[in-house]
Amino acid sequence: GAAAAAALLATDDTEATRQLDALSRAGLIDHVRGTRYRLHDLVRAFAQARLLDEEEPSERTAAQERLIVNYGELADSVLRLVDGNMSTRSDRFGPHGFTSLDEALRWLDDESSFITSTLRHAEGVDQGAVLNLLGALCDYCLLRGDLYRLGEISELAQAVDQGLLLRSVQWRTGIAARQLGELDKARTTLTSVVDLYMEAHHDAGAARALCSLGITLHHQGNLTEAAAKLREALDLQAPPQLATDRAWTMHALAAVERDRGRLPEAMRLLTESLVLHHAGESVHGEAWAHFQLGQLGLRMGDIPRAESELTTALGLYGRTRDARGEAWALTQLARARLVAGDPSPAVDGLRQAAARHRDNEDARGEAWTVYYLGQALEETGNLDLAVRELERSRTMFSRMRDVYGLACARHHSARVTRDQRAAQTGSLRNSGFARQLLVDARADFQRIGVAHGEAWTCLELAVVDAGNARTPQALTLCDEALSLFTSYGDHRGEDWAHFLRATLLPYAAPGGVEVGTAVAQEELAQLSRTGNPYRDEKLHDYVEAYQLLLERGVNLEAGWQAWRLGMVPSRHAREVMGVAVSGTP
């Protein structure tokens, strides 16, 4: 290109273009299009030999350095249009004449292979210039999902073995491993990078690496440690010049807090991060913040808000040509149809999104999409296929050692397996395998501190135990679930725990059926009097119906009736958290 030629010749674009035109007329180079030309391999080999014979080494190095600086400035300028004022390139370069983000990304697409080739001949060049160009090229590889080229760059950096250079590339390599689902490798790499930056007293780099490590820990289901690492990063990113870096950490932390059931804190973090991303001109950052807001909307049961945020994210991913982000947005938009009670389009959308994730080699994206696909198939009544997809997601989560995903897959696979066997036999007597899955899921949720998941698993275990005439154990599980729901303020879950508890009391109360029935009637009356906006709509009818059943008298020989009457929580009951969230933008 003319710009690269101008940098090599230490002249301007006009003179470089004149020289290129002359070489083209002489037949020494081929005109490709616009201001782009190509050397024939034989001419390149001849020119390389003449260069080594006729030019001073110092002049060759100076020309190479000018080219690398020029490429670095242009590439950094492109990535700044995507990511905004990140500390890796904050306020370093101007727009360099790119009239749009699309034009800038097209230039980088064209030049990326030349840039990679140029970096292989950087002996003697100022390491700061090499670092700038390497960083931009690594970020481009992550954006495009070109993880193989990133591996080549990593090998190049290790060969050069410059401290800051190696840390910078290792950080991106850790991110790439996470994107491929190699979470243990990502965690090990990023932990070492954090230590290297800390040893060098490079706070901005340490914070970025801590953020990436926190996201990796989140993906492994280690939510408590993930939150700690992300908050440590936020402390390091307190200076105003790191505001855009802080925005990325804030929306990553919001995702962790959402999964921990802390919806008000997640909303606060996302609202602030969106403001910072906008101020820092980070199109890509805004895309991920809107994406997280969409997921939060789904967790709150606000379908219109969720779909609006996810559609906005999808458009922004399209602007930055982030195929990976687009696939995630498509997954969550299909999931929104599922939450809205429209499973057929959800099934179609999730199958298409899963194919996109496979094309992007995003193992985690595919695993979560297959997981939602299993739930959508359950809603269509195809339980056999639903179990197959949920089991497939369980295997994928297990392979990548994502404990949170594994626990969720176990929970729903157990539910569907239980319902499948019950439909065949007419009772819950053959729920041994499903019960073991729920026990394992509860242990996982408990270990990683996800009260929401553990509480709902307790209720599903209570249903199995009650259906197998273990009503005292079921009653204890309802009490444990109630305590867990209360711990994070989930009124929707509390209502279900209260209701199931009341259905069990006549069969499990120490004072016998009469005392149990009287206490159950009082608890149901209390539940009826104290409605809340987060209550599952179905529960209103169930409370009234069960009160009538108790008035007619309980037949102990007939056993627990809530299951036979269909008065147990559905898949959708767990989907929405009944947690009050203020500060919605």
Side-chain angles (χ1 to χ4, degrees):
L8 282 167
L9 295 169
T11 186
D12 57 23
D13 282 9
T14 303
E15 175 60 18
T17 301
R18 191 185 67 78
Q19 297 268 24
L20 289 167
D21 285 342
L23 289 169
S24 178
R25 287 193 303 272
L28 293 172
I29 62 175
D30 296 326
H31 183 219
V32 180
R33 65 182 180 279
T35 60
R36 299 195 68 80
Y37 298 82
R38 180 183 292 114
L39 274 170
H40 189 282
D41 288 344
L42 287 174
V43 176
R44 181 183 292 108
F46 174 77
Q48 180 74 17
R50 298 278 58 75
L51 183 70
L52 293 173
D53 285 345
E54 298 171 8
E55 297 288 344
E56 291 292 327
S58 60
E59 291 184 14
R60 292 201 304 269
T61 301
Q64 193 74 9
E65 187 166 309
R66 287 194 300 272
L67 180 61
I68 285 174
V69 168
N70 178 261
Y71 269 144
E73 289 181 358
L74 286 162
D76 256 316
S77 177
V78 176
L79 270 299
R80 186 187 173 282
L81 289 172
V82 175
D83 285 338
N85 294 317
M86 292 286 286
S87 62
T88 46
R89 55 184 54 87
S90 177
D91 299 325
R92 190 180 293 133
F93 306 114
H96 278 281
F98 292 121
T99 57
S100 68
L101 176 57
D102 189 59
E103 182 201 355
L105 285 168
R106 191 162 54 246
W107 174 85
L108 193 47
D109 284 340
D110 288 341
E111 292 287 348
S112 58
S113 59
F114 297 108
I115 292 172
T116 306
S117 177
T118 300
L119 280 168
R120 297 191 180 281
H121 306 285
E123 298 86 355
V125 174
D126 174 65
Q127 289 302 297
V130 175
L131 177 62
N132 291 340
L133 183 53
L134 261 177
L137 188 58
C138 287
D139 287 341
Y140 168 81
C141 291
L142 288 174
L143 180 66
R144 281 286 177 272
D146 189 353
L147 305 183
Y148 297 108
R149 182 179 295 178
L150 185 62
E152 292 178 10
I153 297 168
S154 177
E155 292 175 8
L156 177 64
Q158 288 170 8
V160 176
D161 196 26
Q162 294 286 327
L164 189 57
L165 190 69
L166 196 55
R167 289 194 293 272
S168 177
V169 177
Q170 276 186 326
W171 167 49
R172 274 102 168 179
T173 303
I175 296 171
R178 185 181 72 227
Q179 290 184 3
L180 289 169
E182 298 172 359
L183 299 182
D184 283 342
K185 179 180 177 182
R187 180 176 180 172
T188 302
T189 301
L190 291 167
T191 299
S192 67
V193 173
V194 170
D195 292 341
L196 289 169
Y197 274 120
M198 289 290 195
E199 288 169 10
H201 304 289
H202 192 300
D203 285 354
R208 290 194 305 268
L210 277 166
C211 176
S212 298
L213 177 58
I215 294 170
T216 303
L217 290 165
H218 179 201
H219 291 184
Q220 288 189 304
N222 193 340
L223 304 188
T224 304
E225 193 178 348
K229 295 297 182 187
L230 290 165
R231 291 193 183 279
E232 189 180 346
L234 283 179
D235 289 342
L236 291 172
Q237 290 165 342
Q241 64 269 28
L242 298 180
T244 305
D245 287 27
R246 187 162 69 252
W248 283 89
T249 306
M250 289 174 103
H251 77 236
L253 179 58
V256 176
E257 298 296 21
R258 178 199 67 229
D259 287 345
R260 297 171 88 192
R262 301 177 181 183
L263 303 194
E265 175 66 357
M267 181 61 79
R268 182 191 69 79
L269 287 162
L270 287 173
T271 304
E272 291 183 28
S273 79
L274 197 54
V275 171
L276 292 174
H277 280 311
H278 188 70
E281 301 175 348
S282 176
V283 179
H284 205 206
E286 285 189 57
W288 283 105
H290 281 294
F291 173 77
Q292 298 293 359
L293 279 166
Q295 284 193 287
L296 185 59
L298 291 177
R299 189 54 63 88
M300 293 159 54
D302 188 345
I303 309 301
R305 167 75 186 275
E307 289 186 322
S308 173
E309 296 287 358
L310 291 167
T311 301
T312 300
L314 183 61
L316 292 169
Y317 289 134
R319 284 183 60 195
T320 59
R321 301 191 197 172
D322 182 354
R324 182 172 163 272
E326 285 181 313
W328 275 98
L330 290 170
T331 290
Q332 294 300 324
L333 280 167
R335 178 191 167 201
R337 291 292 84 217
L338 175 61
V339 178
D342 196 9
S344 293
V347 168
D348 293 339
L350 288 164
R351 282 179 171 150
Q352 291 170 25
R356 295 280 291 270
H357 286 299
R358 276 194 297 277
D359 289 342
N360 297 333
E361 298 183 82
D362 188 340
R364 183 170 178 269
E366 185 180 359
W368 279 106
T369 304
V370 169
Y371 164 78
Y372 295 127
L373 177 58
Q375 295 182 38
L377 288 165
E378 177 194 354
E379 291 298 303
T380 65
N382 194 337
L383 298 191
D384 289 344
L385 200 50
V387 169
R388 194 174 81 187
E389 295 298 339
L390 287 167
E391 285 297 292
R392 190 154 73 95
S393 73
R394 183 161 74 99
T395 301
M396 295 172 80
F397 286 129
S398 179
R399 189 183 302 129
M400 70 181 73
R401 299 178 64 167
D402 177 348
V403 183
Y404 177 63
L406 180 60
C408 290
R410 278 173 167 160
H411 175 98
H412 284 288
S413 184
R415 281 182 45 265
V416 181
T417 300
R418 177 198 66 196
D419 294 353
Q420 189 182 37
R421 294 302 300 272
Q424 294 166 352
T425 62
S427 78
L428 291 168
R429 295 287 182 181
N430 296 290
S431 302
F433 176 65
R435 191 180 193 284
Q436 186 56 55
L437 280 176
L438 289 169
V439 168
D440 292 342
R442 183 187 181 185
D444 288 338
F445 283 129
Q446 193 173 57
R447 179 155 55 92
I448 61 179
V450 180
H452 172 258
E454 186 186 354
W456 281 108
T457 306
C458 284
L459 289 188
E460 298 294 354
L461 278 167
V463 169
V464 172
D465 280 354
N468 282 272
R470 292 193 291 268
T471 46
Q473 294 93 325
L475 193 62
T476 299
L477 284 163
C478 287
D479 289 337
E480 290 172 352
L482 185 58
S483 176
L484 287 162
F485 285 129
T486 303
S487 71
Y488 68 96
D490 189 338
H491 303 300
R492 184 184 179 92
E494 286 174 358
D495 286 349
W496 266 111
H498 277 301
F499 175 74
L500 285 180
R501 187 179 187 283
T503 68
L504 290 162
L505 280 168
Y507 307 91
V513 64
E514 291 82 5
V515 173
T517 300
V519 176
Q521 286 175 318
E522 175 54 36
E523 291 199 6
L524 288 174
Q526 176 71 10
L527 196 59
S528 188
R529 288 192 298 270
T530 57
N532 68 75
Y534 305 101
R535 179 167 294 173
D536 191 340
E537 291 178 5
K538 293 181 179 179
L539 208 54
H540 291 290
D541 298 333
Y542 292 174
V543 170
E544 285 185 29
Y546 218 87
Q547 283 175 312
L548 288 173
L549 187 148
L550 291 176
E551 286 175 14
R552 293 172 184 166
V554 172
N555 179 4
L556 286 180
E557 292 181 2
W560 181 61
Q561 295 298 298
W563 168 264
R564 186 178 62 80
L565 297 170
M567 296 182 185
V568 293
S570 65
R571 182 200 58 77
H572 181 68
R574 179 192 189 276
E575 206 158 38
V576 178
M577 277 190 193
V579 177
V581 177
S582 59
T584 303

